[in-house]
Amino acid sequence: MFKLYLDPGHGGNDPGATGNGLQEKNVNLDIALRIRDILNNEYRDVDVNMSRTTDTTKSLTQRTNEANAWNADYYLSIHINAFNGSARGYEDYIYVGLSESSQTAQYQDIMHNEITAVNELTDRGQKQANFHVLRESAMPALLTENGFIDNANNAAKLADASYRQKVARGHVNGLERAFNLEKAASETLYRVIAGSFQVKENAEERVTYLDSRGIPAFISETSVSGSTWYRVQAGAFRNRTNADQRLSEVKAAGIGDAYIQVEEGDNPEVSGYGILGSVSLAPEHMDQFVRSINPDAPSLGNYYLTFGEAYGIRGDIAFAQALHETNYFRFTGIVNEEQNNYAGIGATGPDNSGASFATPEEGVLAHIQHLYAYASTEALPDDYVLVDPRFDLVTRGSARDWVGLNGKWAVPGDQYGQLILGLYEDVVNASITQLQNVLDQIEL
């Protein structure tokens, strides 16, 4: 077991260095929490003890005494520099007087190389100093100075959550090499996604908001159907329970559409968007989105909201599924518009175009009931009469989330659920844009 004492410098009534709207104590803590999370979630046999996990005051003596009493294997102190506004770059320190052949110096070599490989800062070198945490710690110790907070260029980087994630990753890469850390045996990684945006500024606003709520987050770029999306990630976990806890925190902060992306080795899935759940989008947003593509599309958003809420089904995502099945209600496939069959229920080929329903309302109801058959083993609620002709042919509870429909609703359909969720993200982001336009008009 590798025992790391991780020390975010300053805190509480000691802000540390300040500049460009930033306080060192806050940046130190954010980077350290990210280091802790990466180690806890991606490595085995690692125990991390932090000097502080919130904005609290702790003396230098308390910190080193705690590390010594705990018999830590390594002391890592995170700091940000300041000088005259012109100085910039990264440097790190070990205790003064140690030889280049000492174990501490060898660890410094590795840590320095890994951190500077990713931190995009001028390399100011490896140094020595008589700092308390380096002098009084009984184990090898390193203090890193991750840029200058009073330098506009460095501060702009440090203000970016995605950059702080890079810095944290560089520290972890160094620890992995220096102490031969082993990756966790589980190949499954649960990423908490707190929104995807086509406009980077919107993603940055979401990250800033989450940071203000004490939830570390950063932006990662991904490609969906050839378009670049900026995905806000609020944690990655090897333990599903930890991921579920973080997801709950994100949703409690008001991000109702957060979900968990599950990665099994090289096979990523989107999960956490269960078929069962609350509708998040307003009906008018659903209808406005599809009419921006197909002006002749019917107004079905209210039906998907009403029936979705009645059955506890994510009616807004079911709406996205209908867009996929009907080509935005253009009906360019084997199902025709008069059938009111928005889910392709029973449609198997040119000779069998599937079920027909008397009204659009009935067609949406059948769609929601068919989803309920897949997502739940409970009896069908008695709010409405059963109109889905294939309800009893479904293996009940065989698909709890949208990806679970792969190979069931559509055959072979190995990306069926992912395509639906991609469309849903399009609808969500369009609704955000609509709301922002309204707010802009109000401000004018």
Side-chain angles (χ1 to χ4, degrees), residues 7-53:
D7 175 29
H10 307 284
N13 58 24
D14 174 15
T18 60
N20 294 289
L22 301 176
Q23 289 187 318
E24 181 187 357
K25 65 176 183 178
N26 297 329
V27 182
N28 293 342
L29 180 59
D30 183 86
I31 293 172
L33 288 171
R34 293 171 188 274
I35 293 171
R36 180 199 64 182
D37 287 350
I38 296 172
L39 289 171
N40 284 342
N41 297 312
E42 298 184 19
Y43 293 84
R44 61 189 300 268
D45 296 329
V46 176
D47 193 1
V48 181
N49 187 357
M50 293 184 64
S51 61
R52 62 185 183 95
T53 57

Side-chain angles (χ1 to χ4, degrees), residues 62 152 158 169 187 189 208 225 266 347 417-418:
Q62 286 177 310
L158 292 167
R169 178 64 68 177
E187 293 299 324
L189 187 65
T208 299
S225 301
D266 295 328
Q418 287 91 331

Side-chain angles (χ1 to χ4, degrees), residues 142-154:
L142 181 73
L143 186 147
T144 62
E145 293 278 8
N146 296 278
F148 283 74
I149 204 167
D150 59 345
N151 177 272
N153 176 275
N154 285 189

Side-chain angles (χ1 to χ4, degrees), residues 247-308:
L247 181 64
S248 296
E249 294 170 356
V250 172
K251 288 190 172 183
I255 313 300
D257 293 322
Y259 62 94
I260 293 174
Q261 182 185 55
V262 183
E263 293 185 6
E264 298 279 359
D266 295 328
N267 181 26
E269 292 184 358
V270 179
S271 184
Y273 268 146
I275 293 175
L276 296 175
S278 300
V279 178
S280 296
L281 289 175
E284 56 268 25
H285 289 152
M286 302 183 213
D287 293 335
Q288 287 174 15
F289 172 79
V290 68
R291 284 179 181 166
S292 69
I293 298 170
N294 173 17
D296 298 323
S299 297
L300 301 179
N302 192 56
Y303 294 144
Y304 276 99
L305 170 68
T306 301
F307 295 136

Side-chain angles (χ1 to χ4, degrees), residues 188-256:
T188 304
L189 187 65
Y190 303 96
R191 300 184 188 274
V192 179
I193 306 301
S196 295
F197 305 86
Q198 285 191 292
V199 178
K200 189 173 184 180
E201 287 76 11
N202 294 338
E204 290 170 344
E205 289 178 6
R206 177 64 54 83
V207 168
T208 299
Y209 172 73
L210 289 170
D211 280 352
S212 74
R213 299 295 296 268
I215 301 172
F218 65 97
I219 298 170
S220 63
E221 291 186 21
T222 187
S223 179
V224 178
S225 301
S227 299
T228 299
W229 287 79
Y230 299 95
R231 181 165 287 167
V232 177
Q233 182 172 311
F237 304 87
R238 294 289 177 184
N239 184 295
R240 179 65 191 239
T241 301
N242 293 340
D244 288 338
Q245 180 179 341
R246 176 60 57 81
L247 181 64
S248 296
E249 294 170 356
V250 172
K251 288 190 172 183
I255 313 300

Side-chain angles (χ1 to χ4, degrees), residues 119-132:
N119 69 3
E120 305 168 6
L121 295 177
T122 302
D123 184 356
R124 294 171 59 89
Q126 300 171 232
K127 302 181 178 181
Q128 296 187 351
N130 189 28
F131 297 145
H132 175 96

Side-chain angles (χ1 to χ4, degrees), residues 164-433:
R164 297 194 299 272
Q165 187 73 14
K166 287 182 182 179
V167 172
R169 178 64 68 177
H171 283 71
V172 172
N173 291 345
L175 293 168
E176 179 184 342
R177 272 190 56 206
F179 296 96
N180 297 313
L181 303 184
E182 296 183 25
K183 290 290 184 100
S186 172
E187 293 299 324
T188 304
L189 187 65
Y190 303 96
R191 300 184 188 274
V192 179
I193 306 301
S196 295
F197 305 86
Q198 285 191 292
V199 178
K200 189 173 184 180
E201 287 76 11
N202 294 338
E204 290 170 344
E205 289 178 6
R206 177 64 54 83
V207 168
T208 299
Y209 172 73
L210 289 170
D211 280 352
S212 74
R213 299 295 296 268
I215 301 172
F218 65 97
I219 298 170
S220 63
E221 291 186 21
T222 187
S223 179
V224 178
S225 301
S227 299
T228 299
W229 287 79
Y230 299 95
R231 181 165 287 167
V232 177
Q233 182 172 311
F237 304 87
R238 294 289 177 184
N239 184 295
R240 179 65 191 239
T241 301
N242 293 340
D244 288 338
Q245 180 179 341
R246 176 60 57 81
L247 181 64
S248 296
E249 294 170 356
V250 172
K251 288 190 172 183
I255 313 300
D257 293 322
Y259 62 94
I260 293 174
Q261 182 185 55
V262 183
E263 293 185 6
E264 298 279 359
D266 295 328
N267 181 26
E269 292 184 358
V270 179
S271 184
Y273 268 146
I275 293 175
L276 296 175
S278 300
V279 178
S280 296
L281 289 175
E284 56 268 25
H285 289 152
M286 302 183 213
D287 293 335
Q288 287 174 15
F289 172 79
V290 68
R291 284 179 181 166
S292 69
I293 298 170
N294 173 17
D296 298 323
S299 297
L300 301 179
N302 192 56
Y303 294 144
Y304 276 99
L305 170 68
T306 301
F307 295 136
E309 290 183 341
Y311 288 88
I313 295 289
R314 287 297 303 267
D316 44 4
I317 304 183
F319 180 83
Q321 184 183 21
L323 300 184
H324 174 71
E325 289 286 344
T326 65
N327 189 16
Y328 301 93
F329 302 123
R330 295 188 185 107
F331 295 95
T332 55
I334 61 175
V335 178
N336 63 56
E337 184 175 1
E338 289 71 27
Q339 290 177 252
N340 297 314
N341 184 354
Y342 308 114
I345 296 173
T348 58
D351 298 329
N352 182 9
S353 60
S356 293
F357 303 98
T359 64
E361 182 178 6
E362 184 176 291
V364 176
L365 177 58
H367 184 181
I368 296 297
Q369 289 176 341
H370 203 60
L371 283 168
Y372 187 85
Y374 274 106
S376 174
T377 57
E378 300 295 324
L380 191 71
D382 56 8
D383 303 60
Y384 302 95
V385 65
L386 177 63
V387 297
D388 172 20
R390 300 183 65 82
F391 184 90
D392 293 327
L393 301 179
V394 175
T395 301
R396 299 298 308 281
S398 59
R400 301 285 184 173
D401 58 32
W402 297 91
V403 172
L405 295 176
N406 291 358
K408 298 183 178 71
W409 199 292
V411 180
D414 57 351
Q415 291 292 308
Y416 182 74
Q418 287 91 331
L419 288 171
I420 292 170
L421 292 173
L423 274 173
Y424 176 67
E425 288 185 349
D426 290 348
V427 182
V428 170
N429 283 282
S431 71
I432 292 172
T433 300

